[in-house]
């Protein structure tokens, strides 16, 4: 199976430490292009349910809506 992933994690095992190993505080080159690309995605699914932060366990005010470019999915 040919899979394309940016990062793959077992959600049940995801912790703040795991995330910090894969995150950066450095400026991201092309950030405006990345944001523009993600905003251009088409809505794939809709819900009124809010997202629960898997690290803190706190519920956010952000609905759990999914977007796609036809190949990748993101929230």
């Amino acid at each position: 199976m040919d899979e394309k992933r940016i990062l793959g994690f077992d959600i049940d095992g995801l912790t703040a430490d795991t995330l910090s190993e894969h995150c950066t505080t450095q400026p991201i080159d092309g950030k405006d292009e990345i944001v523009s690309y993600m905003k251009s995605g088409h809505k794939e699914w809709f819900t009124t349910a809010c997202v629960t932060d898997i690290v803190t366990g706190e519920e956010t005010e952000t609905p759990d809506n999914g977007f796609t470019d036809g190949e990748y999915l993101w929230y």
Side-chain angles (χ1 to χ4, degrees):
M1 177 181 195
D2 186 24
E3 294 183 8
K4 295 181 180 179
R5 295 191 229 186
I6 294 173
L7 292 174
F9 294 104
D10 173 6
I11 296 298
D12 294 328
L14 193 59
T15 65
D17 289 338
T18 304
L19 285 177
S20 67
E21 294 171 13
H22 298 280
C23 296
T24 181
T25 57
Q26 301 299 314
I28 299 172
D29 291 334
K31 179 180 173 185
D32 292 338
E33 290 83 1
I34 294 169
V35 170
S36 177
Y37 169 79
M38 293 185 81
K39 284 184 175 182
S40 72
H42 304 284
K43 290 187 178 180
E44 184 73 8
W45 64 86
F46 308 91
T47 179
T48 57
C50 291
V51 175
T52 301
D53 185 310
I54 60 173
V55 175
T56 66
E58 295 177 14
E59 189 172 286
T60 69
E61 295 181 12
T62 306
D64 186 16
N65 296 325
F67 299 86
T68 184
D69 64 357
E71 185 170 357
Y72 295 99
L73 297 170
W74 62 89
Y75 298 94

